[in-house]
Amino acid sequence: MKVGFIGLGIMGKPMALNLIRAGYTLTVYDINPEPVEAVCAAGARRAASASEAARGNQVVITMLPNSPHVKAAVLDEGGVLEGATPGTILIDMSSIAPLASKEIAEACAKKGVRMLDAPVSGGEPKAIDGTLSIMAGGAREDFERVYDLLLKMGASAVLCGDVGAGNTTKLANQIIVALNIAAMSEALTLGTMAGVDPESIFRAIRGGLAGSTVLDAKAPMVMSGNFKPGFKIDLHIKDLNNALDTGHAVGAPLPLTAYAMEILERLRADGHGQLDHSAIVKYYEKLADVEVRAADRK
Ligand code: NAD
């Protein structure tokens, strides 16, 4: 199967490399030439535009930052719709607003191009391992046609509904992750202020009801003061913005998301936008004038 791949950033580059390794013929495009070099060295063909990346391919994948970037790469002059032929399946794997996915899918449909939104969870390590969790929206027949290809990038791919359902699911994921990190930060700050080593709290509770994948991944980062991103605060602000917009559009109340958004905005104003989202703890550290670290790492 011939595949066009647009957007070779932290996530897109390892995902494209996994498709090449699995034997797919890739044509790639990014506005930044650097990752294009690396993926072409692994066997991909270089395209000079998004339309060229789409031309002659049965599937086109986009992995871009947010809704405006996907709209530009698909709908603008020199975009995917200029090069794609009827029957092509566009899989947008970026995390964008569900309403934007629907708008893009409508424009695609006018040209006979099919679209799935299929954002991912798991971050760079799972993009490299090909073990992402993929949440998709679109027609079942399209999903089934590309299911094997999705499983070259992910450990699971679940069809959640019509176009936009993938991104709605991703927003649900991002709400749960942000609120989990905030709850963990609040709890570990309490422990520190009360004189209990946060490391002991973590070890004692991680196997109980409060245990979670988020706790296991982020508590060690907090306790060692390592905020090297993984997933940046700036990107989480983008996702919670999309969640709040979507909540307003469909009438869903999101009071905790709104509060988490204020925390993240405060952290960005303090210059922490490029840190990992585990740096939410820094908001609490500032409020309590304390540093939340394991006792042996202070
Ligand atoms: P990134 O900023 O590293 O990569 C985006 C790439 O898109 C860049 O290489 C950029 O040059 C390119 N680009 C931007 N506009 C373009 C255009 N018009 N045409 C062609 N290329 C263009 O971002 P990322 O971390 O790879 O994230 C991509 C998406 O995946 C985002 O929506 C993000 O929220 C989501 N995501 C990221 C992670 C993570 O841990 N980084 C995890 C899950 C989901």
Side-chain angles (χ1 to χ4, degrees):
M1 189 184 265
K2 288 165 70 187
V3 179
F5 203 115
I6 300 164
L8 302 170
I10 293 179
M11 299 295 285
K13 182 175 150 188
M15 291 161 70
L17 289 173
N18 280 332
L19 292 180
I20 294 169
R21 258 178 237 123
Y24 291 93
T25 305
L26 251 66
T27 307
V28 298
Y29 175 66
D30 194 297
I31 50 174
N32 176 7
E34 220 174 274
V36 175
E37 294 295 330
V39 179
C40 287
R45 194 176 74 83
R46 177 194 323 265
S49 64
S51 65
E52 199 184 309
R55 195 158 293 130
N57 291 320
Q58 293 108 311
V59 171
V60 180
I61 295 173
T62 43
M63 191 53 168
L64 300 164
N66 198 5
S67 317
H69 308 84
V70 180
K71 283 186 179 174
V74 176
L75 309 178
D76 282 5
E77 206 181 314
V80 169
L81 287 188
E82 231 176 68
T85 42
T88 302
I89 300 182
L90 168 65
I91 314 173
D92 178 36
M93 303 192 75
S94 330
S95 305
I96 70 169
L99 293 172
S101 298
K102 287 181 188 163
E103 275 173 48
I104 297 164
E106 275 167 25
C108 287
K110 286 185 187 142
K111 296 221 156 191
V113 172
R114 324 275 310 166
M115 178 173 155
L116 296 165
D117 63 320
V120 306
S121 173
E124 189 184 18
K126 293 195 173 209
I128 292 169
D129 292 351
T131 55
L132 293 163
S133 299
I134 301 173
M135 42 213 102
R140 180 161 293 281
E141 61 186 284
D142 298 331
F143 178 72
E144 283 171 359
R145 266 176 67 196
V146 299
Y147 185 72
D148 288 346
L149 172 138
L150 292 176
L151 288 192
K152 301 295 183 296
M153 296 177 281
S156 68
V158 175
L159 183 66
C160 301
D162 294 337
V163 169
N167 272 304
T168 301
T169 305
K170 175 67 184 178
L171 293 180
N173 182 83
Q174 294 306 80
I175 290 172
I176 291 169
V177 170
L179 296 181
N180 260 277
I181 298 175
M184 172 196 77
S185 301
E186 195 162 301
L188 295 183
T189 304
L190 170 73
T192 303
M193 296 299 284
V196 180
D197 183 2
E199 177 89 36
S200 307
I201 296 177
F202 171 57
R203 287 199 352 252
I205 69 174
R206 61 187 289 258
L209 191 56
S212 68
T213 311
V214 171
L215 191 73
D216 280 345
K218 301 300 174 182
M221 293 181 77
V222 166
M223 285 180 301
S224 61
N226 164 24
F227 301 112
K228 184 174 171 287
F231 191 76
K232 289 175 189 160
I233 283 178
D234 280 343
L235 274 183
H236 218 139
I237 288 175
K238 180 258 303 182
D239 288 335
L240 293 195
N241 244 328
N242 286 338
L244 291 168
D245 283 349
T246 306
H248 294 149
V250 302
L254 303 176
L256 293 177
T257 305
Y259 201 91
M261 183 67 171
E262 295 305 314
I263 294 175
L264 290 173
E265 286 285 14
R266 176 71 226 194
L267 289 164
R268 174 147 75 181
D270 282 345
H272 300 319
Q274 293 294 302
L275 295 186
D276 187 74
H277 50 178
S278 53
I280 284 177
V281 75
K282 285 182 174 289
Y283 174 84
Y284 287 93
E285 289 180 341
K286 199 167 178 180
L287 284 182
D289 195 19
V290 73
E291 206 172 54
V292 180
R293 299 287 176 276
D296 64 357
R297 269 159 282 180
K298 274 190 176 162

